Amino acid sequence: MKKMLPPKGPGDNGLSLLPYEAVKWELIKAALELGVFNQFDEPLTAGTLAERLGTQPENTEFMLNSLTAMGCLTKCKGVFEMTPMARAYLDPASEQCIGPMLLFMERWTKPMMNGGMINLICDGPPPAANAGREEIWEQGARLSINNARAGRAQIIAGHVSALAEFSSFSNMLDLGGGPGMIAVAVLASHPSLKCTIMEQPAVCRVAEELIAEYGMESRIKTLSGDYMEDPMGEGFDFIMANYTLNFYRDRMDELMAKIYKALNPGGVLLVTSDGLNEEKTAPAQSVITWLSTALQGMDMSFDRGFLADAMIKAGFISTQSSMVADLTIAAHGPMDVIVARKGRN
């Protein structure tokens, strides 16, 4: 009997292209490591760039053609030039350059690559490694500054300044505030608000440099410590925690009670965090982003609604959530901005 073709299906939804997705990152990675984006002070031909970098001319042009296809360059009559997007985010001379941060972030996915994922799935997480943790905190903090400058700090500051109580704030706490770029952006919108950034000692050193760079020494101070284990102080009108509470997901009730106590009556808490739904299968970007750390024994993802529930349990009288899908803020996919208010009694 002659075999018949199956009926036309719904399409593969791009599955056939998946093997090539990794090529995009390898292309950007190669360009960053070669210093390609350092060279475009003026338009260049592939031959000129190859001569400068010591690379093979024909393959250099293939690389540049592909970078053009990805929107990083333009090409006209054999001459390449950086696009505004690449000039802002990939040119090392830009204060918004995130190239080094991209290379740093790769370290978390490296154990999964080139067959490593199968080993993690079959054998489970590797032993935890604590060596060099301080250096990693400091390096990550330094590299995240430009990432925040690229839009994240401005967007979060916009949400904070839109709070009805914002003008009345006088003293705020930024838990796990990183290098302080978000705190600087918030204070730039308020004439007198003062801030304490609580962070790991290595990160506080970076924050102090940034605070000085922006001339905020009189308004922002740092507090070294672990906000779960060490005193965070009291008497704050406003507390914010951005992309940080995941570290203590399994002690959230305890942490929320501590935050609640640190706020003045009528105080406000704002948390920015991703959240999973549909039994931890969506949003896709969030699920995939967390996969590398989850397979390595560090599942720190939240279910949507988890933080708001913990806030109410701690005593906050109300919570309000809004989703932000802007790519400059959504490193782990769409982010929830959750605002909780403490009663005045």
Side-chain angles (χ1 to χ4, degrees), residues 218-241:
S218 64
R219 298 181 61 191
I220 305 177
K221 66 179 182 179
T222 62
L223 175 63
S224 294
D226 182 324
Y227 58 71
M228 184 75 254
E229 306 296 343
D230 300 318
M232 63 176 66
E234 296 183 2
F236 298 104
D237 304 308
F238 175 62
I239 295 177
M240 70 176 180

Side-chain angles (χ1 to χ4, degrees), residues 57-136:
E58 289 185 358
N59 282 355
T60 299
E61 183 151 17
F62 289 139
M63 173 186 68
L64 295 179
N65 286 342
S66 298
L67 288 171
T68 301
M70 286 186 65
C72 298
L73 304 174
T74 60
K75 183 181 184 181
C76 181
K77 297 180 180 179
V79 178
F80 296 88
E81 190 169 1
M82 288 175 69
T83 62
M85 178 276 291
R87 185 74 67 188
Y89 301 123
L90 297 174
D91 182 353
S94 169
E95 285 194 332
Q96 296 176 300
C97 178
I98 61 171
M101 185 67 180
L102 294 176
L103 294 174
F104 177 77
M105 289 167 64
E106 188 202 22
R107 68 184 300 149
W108 308 116
T109 61
K110 221 166 193 177
M112 297 201 309
M113 300 296 105
N114 300 316
M117 185 182 292
I118 293 177
N119 296 331
L120 289 169
I121 293 170
C122 293
D123 302 333
N130 293 317
R133 185 173 292 272
E134 283 286 302
E135 291 79 3
I136 292 172

Side-chain angles (χ1 to χ4, degrees), residues 3-78:
K3 188 172 182 178
M4 303 294 292
L5 284 172
K8 182 181 178 182
D12 67 9
N13 292 315
L15 290 173
S16 59
L17 297 175
L18 281 177
Y20 299 98
E21 286 297 311
V23 176
K24 294 180 182 179
W25 166 240
E26 288 299 325
L27 173 62
I28 294 293
K29 179 184 173 185
L32 290 170
E33 292 183 340
L34 285 169
V36 168
F37 302 111
N38 302 51
Q39 303 297 324
F40 281 90
D41 292 335
E42 57 184 2
L44 297 173
T45 65
T48 300
L49 182 65
E51 186 176 345
R52 289 185 182 182
L53 298 179
T55 53
Q56 203 270 344
E58 289 185 358
N59 282 355
T60 299
E61 183 151 17
F62 289 139
M63 173 186 68
L64 295 179
N65 286 342
S66 298
L67 288 171
T68 301
M70 286 186 65
C72 298
L73 304 174
T74 60
K75 183 181 184 181
C76 181
K77 297 180 180 179

Side-chain angles (χ1 to χ4, degrees), residues 79-222:
V79 178
F80 296 88
E81 190 169 1
M82 288 175 69
T83 62
M85 178 276 291
R87 185 74 67 188
Y89 301 123
L90 297 174
D91 182 353
S94 169
E95 285 194 332
Q96 296 176 300
C97 178
I98 61 171
M101 185 67 180
L102 294 176
L103 294 174
F104 177 77
M105 289 167 64
E106 188 202 22
R107 68 184 300 149
W108 308 116
T109 61
K110 221 166 193 177
M112 297 201 309
M113 300 296 105
N114 300 316
M117 185 182 292
I118 293 177
N119 296 331
L120 289 169
I121 293 170
C122 293
D123 302 333
N130 293 317
R133 185 173 292 272
E134 283 286 302
E135 291 79 3
I136 292 172
W137 282 117
E138 181 173 349
Q139 185 182 9
R142 291 191 185 282
L143 294 175
S144 71
I145 292 172
N146 282 5
N147 199 30
R149 282 185 179 129
R152 177 176 292 188
Q154 299 91 322
I155 291 170
I156 294 176
H159 280 272
V160 175
S161 63
L163 294 170
E165 304 90 342
F166 182 65
S167 62
S168 67
F169 292 157
S170 62
N171 191 20
M172 68 170 277
L173 173 65
D174 188 358
L175 285 181
M181 195 66 249
I182 296 174
V184 166
V186 170
L187 266 63
S189 300
H190 195 293
S192 59
L193 179 60
K194 294 192 175 182
C195 175
T196 299
I197 298 173
M198 188 171 191
E199 257 293 1
Q200 301 290 334
V203 179
C204 281
R205 292 193 291 271
V206 180
E208 286 161 5
E209 294 174 13
L210 187 83
I211 292 165
E213 179 183 344
Y214 281 87
M216 289 275 190
E217 298 97 325
S218 64
R219 298 181 61 191
I220 305 177
K221 66 179 182 179
T222 62

Side-chain angles (χ1 to χ4, degrees), residues 246 249-250 274-291 294 298-306:
N246 305 74
R249 183 191 64 182
D250 298 332
D274 65 305
L276 304 183
N277 51 39
E278 298 182 28
E279 300 183 48
K280 296 185 181 294
T281 65
Q285 185 179 341
S286 300
V287 175
I288 298 302
T289 301
W290 280 115
L291 180 60
M298 297 176 289
D299 178 14
M300 298 182 290
S301 61
F302 290 134
D303 288 334
R304 285 205 78 197
F306 171 78

Side-chain angles (χ1 to χ4, degrees), residues 230-287:
D230 300 318
M232 63 176 66
E234 296 183 2
F236 298 104
D237 304 308
F238 175 62
I239 295 177
M240 70 176 180
N242 302 299
Y243 320 103
T244 182
L245 298 187
N246 305 74
F247 291 104
Y248 290 109
R249 183 191 64 182
D250 298 332
R251 298 175 65 185
M252 193 53 59
D253 289 348
E254 182 184 352
L255 178 56
M256 278 297 166
K258 190 174 181 180
I259 292 172
Y260 183 87
K261 184 179 178 182
L263 278 168
N264 287 329
V268 179
L269 168 66
L270 182 144
V271 174
T272 307
S273 177
D274 65 305
L276 304 183
N277 51 39
E278 298 182 28
E279 300 183 48
K280 296 185 181 294
T281 65
Q285 185 179 341
S286 300
V287 175

